[in-house]
Amino acid sequence: AYVGAEPVFATLISSGRVRDELDPLKNFETPKGAFRITSKHLTANMDGDHALDGPYSIEDVPYVMYFELAYALHGAFWHDAFGRPRSHGCINLAPADARFLFEFAEPPLPDHWHGVYPRPALPGTRLYIRGTTPQG
């Protein structure tokens, strides 16, 4: 995380896994590019039918910040494999790190609200995703 050109926070993440580039149902690569936070939610339910380890449904995923379609930065309390590809395309963070980034990113969540969307006067924080996800 940066304020201007000054780094203020760094942590390990788990990005999406790449298993089979030719089979979209087995490719969970995190999208690369420049994005903005499109919504923030204290918690969200996440599920999917197409996962290598079978369908999944996780309730109350903490500190969710969507940036592209269903892709989000969020806390992951169900594993501790940060630093290695592990997700279905989202950017998994340790819950404490997800909380820091959730509070750092714009737009701010008003007191007693569960979610917030950016508006023209206060756009979502920019997010830059680069690099190549390793196979595995």
Side-chain angles (χ1 to χ4, degrees):
Y2 288 81
V3 174
E6 182 76 21
V8 295
F9 185 77
T11 188
L12 294 173
I13 60 102
S14 288
S15 62
R17 298 176 291 185
V18 176
R19 296 289 177 134
D20 185 345
E21 293 178 5
L22 301 177
D23 184 348
L25 296 179
K26 294 181 181 175
N27 182 6
F28 302 108
E29 191 171 8
T30 301
K32 292 184 278 296
F35 306 94
R36 281 195 180 268
I37 300 300
T38 58
S39 67
K40 293 171 57 174
H41 308 270
L42 278 177
T43 64
N45 297 337
M46 296 185 165
D47 57 40
D49 293 329
H50 301 290
L52 293 173
D53 45 1
Y56 65 96
S57 179
I58 303 172
E59 294 182 2
D60 296 326
V61 175
Y63 308 113
V64 178
M65 294 183 286
Y66 289 101
F67 61 88
E68 174 72 15
L69 304 172
Y71 294 101
L73 293 100
H74 61 76
F77 53 78
W78 53 90
H79 74 82
D80 62 358
F82 305 105
R84 297 188 301 265
R86 174 78 166 68
S87 79
H88 297 107
C90 286
I91 297 173
N92 290 190
L93 299 143
D97 295 339
R99 181 179 182 171
F100 175 88
L101 290 174
F102 187 88
E103 292 172 352
F104 174 83
E106 298 288 342
L109 184 70
D111 289 341
H112 310 294
W113 285 34
H114 191 275
V116 66
Y117 291 87
R119 53 193 185 278
L122 192 55
T125 294
R126 288 190 186 276
L127 173 65
Y128 299 97
I129 302 172
R130 62 180 191 256
T132 302
T133 302
Q135 291 289 116

